[in-house]
Amino acid sequence: MDVDAFVLANRPTWNRLEHLVKNRRRLTGAEVDELVDLYQRVSTHLSIVRSSSSDAVLVGKLSGLVARARAVVTGAHAPLWREFTRFWTVSFPVVVYRSWRWWVASGVVFYAVAAVIAVWVAHNPEVQASIGTPSEIEQLVNHEFANYYSEHPAGSFALQVWVNNAWVTAQCIAMSVLLGIPIPYILFQNSANLGVNAGLMFQAGKGDIFLGLITPHGLIELTAVFVAAGVGMRLGWSVISPGDRPRGQVLAEQGRAVVAVAIGLAVVLMVAGAIEGFVTPSSLPTFVRVAIGVAAVVGFFGYVFHFGRRAVRAGETGDVEDAPDVVPTG
């Protein structure tokens, strides 16, 4: 298709539709009918351009024009409850599901690094000496580690935990704008911290206490971090290798999807914070506390794979409905 000729032939139609959209509050009956007709015609033009041209600017302009015209024609946005339902059954789970290889790989590497560091710390007195004095390590393994979960009121502690974990997750999301390059370092820092604590606790014969306190909330908490890291790195890779689609279109679509994930993970981390604040320090038997943590992460996996797979089969991407196809530049 000759794009220049197509634009020249149809620009008056696009300009007229844009004029009617801008003056939608003062349209006569005939102009309303004209607006509906032009909306249908320009929607067809958009389909033609999308299938025949890689001009991201033209696709973005027509997509935005069609979206605005649709809003005028339909006269109302979708009900709030419908948007809420769509978010939790489509937008959030489909993006997480489409990125599952990235975040599963992140989790596997994270736990492997933590295990290696834990073994290294547990079997090397020199390493332990570089971490702290014998009295400091004894204080940590015998008092500080366990007291951390019970020294504050459960409600305030849960809020503190949520803020901390939300910050780590937000870092992973934010680093997606740098193509995800800093994300492995963020994960390594947290993995090393987990490994050091595990090594010290196991070396002191308190591995059961360590696992009993970490597992209930740690499974769902770290999964949220892995998802944020995986989605962020996937966005970075999508920009580096966009395939046969315009890079601007890929960035816009994936960027909006990452925002949806950030919102969804904030709620997931609230669950993790509640478990850490109310379940981990509770007097419940260890196996019950661990079972609650396992149930939370299994429930999350089931939710993501059920709704995510269903949305993928329906052709959903998790992008905002009627969103423009490129990142606005002005």
Side-chain angles (χ1 to χ4, degrees):
M1 182 183 73
D2 188 331
V3 176
D4 292 335
F6 184 82
V7 172
L8 185 62
N10 294 288
R11 187 183 297 279
T13 300
W14 304 340
N15 291 341
R16 177 58 179 169
L17 177 59
E18 187 165 11
H19 172 77
L20 294 174
V21 169
K22 288 181 178 179
N23 295 276
R24 57 189 177 276
R25 299 186 184 279
R26 298 188 297 273
L27 299 181
T28 64
E31 287 174 330
V32 170
D33 292 338
E34 182 185 7
L35 187 150
V36 173
D37 177 64
L38 292 179
Y39 159 66
Q40 295 172 336
R41 290 167 58 187
V42 177
S43 295
T44 302
H45 295 166
L46 174 60
S47 298
I48 294 173
V49 171
R50 275 179 166 163
S51 62
S52 306
S53 172
S54 60
D55 189 333
V57 175
L58 178 59
V59 170
K61 179 179 179 180
L62 288 181
S63 179
L65 177 58
V66 168
R68 294 195 305 275
R70 181 184 293 115
V72 176
V73 170
T74 57
H77 296 289
L80 183 60
W81 66 266
R82 180 179 178 277
E83 296 293 341
F84 180 84
T85 302
R86 174 179 168 78
F87 178 84
W88 289 110
T89 59
V90 176
S91 303
F92 175 58
V94 75
V95 177
V96 177
Y97 178 78
R98 286 163 64 91
S99 305
W100 75 266
R101 291 179 178 83
W102 289 86
W103 55 264
V104 167
S106 298
V108 170
V109 174
F110 180 97
Y111 285 124
V113 170
V116 169
I117 292 176
V119 172
W120 180 51
V121 170
H123 292 84
N124 287 275
E126 297 84 2
V127 176
Q128 298 167 24
S130 68
I131 295 172
T133 64
S135 61
E136 290 173 336
I137 293 176
E138 181 181 2
Q139 179 70 14
L140 171 66
V141 300
N142 291 326
H143 304 287
E144 292 180 359
F145 188 83
N147 290 344
Y148 169 77
Y149 296 98
S150 57
E151 61 184 2
H152 301 293
S156 62
F157 181 59
L159 177 60
Q160 175 186 341
V161 168
W162 178 79
V163 171
N164 177 72
N165 295 331
W167 169 241
V168 175
T169 303
Q171 285 181 292
C172 292
I173 293 291
M175 290 303 109
S176 63
V177 302
L178 299 178
L179 304 184
I181 295 173
I183 292 177
Y185 177 68
I186 296 173
L187 291 178
F188 174 77
Q189 285 183 307
N190 287 273
S191 178
N193 182 59
L194 179 65
V196 168
N197 281 279
L200 294 176
M201 292 293 287
F202 273 88
Q203 188 277 332
K206 296 183 179 294
D208 57 335
I209 296 177
F210 174 82
L211 293 176
L213 291 173
I214 285 291
T215 305
H217 64 275
L219 290 175
I220 185 68
E221 173 183 292
L222 289 175
T223 297
V225 173
F226 301 152
V227 169
V231 170
M233 289 188 288
R234 182 173 182 262
L235 169 61
W237 181 251
S238 297
V239 175
I240 294 173
S241 179
D244 58 357
R245 294 194 299 161
R247 183 170 279 105
Q249 180 180 343
V250 173
L251 178 60
E253 176 185 304
Q254 295 296 323
R256 290 188 294 265
V258 166
V259 172
V261 169
I263 296 171
L265 289 182
V267 176
V268 175
L269 288 172
M270 287 179 65
V271 175
I275 294 174
E276 188 167 359
F278 294 95
V279 176
T280 298
S282 72
S283 58
L284 292 171
T286 299
F287 79 91
V288 175
R289 290 186 280 113
V290 171
I292 292 173
V294 172
V297 76
V298 170
F300 177 74
F301 289 155
Y303 157 73
V304 165
F305 281 86
H306 172 71
F307 286 104
R309 185 185 293 115
R310 188 174 71 176
V312 166
R313 289 173 178 170
E316 297 283 356
T317 65
D319 196 10
V320 179
E321 290 184 304
D322 302 331
D325 288 330
V326 295
V327 176
T329 57

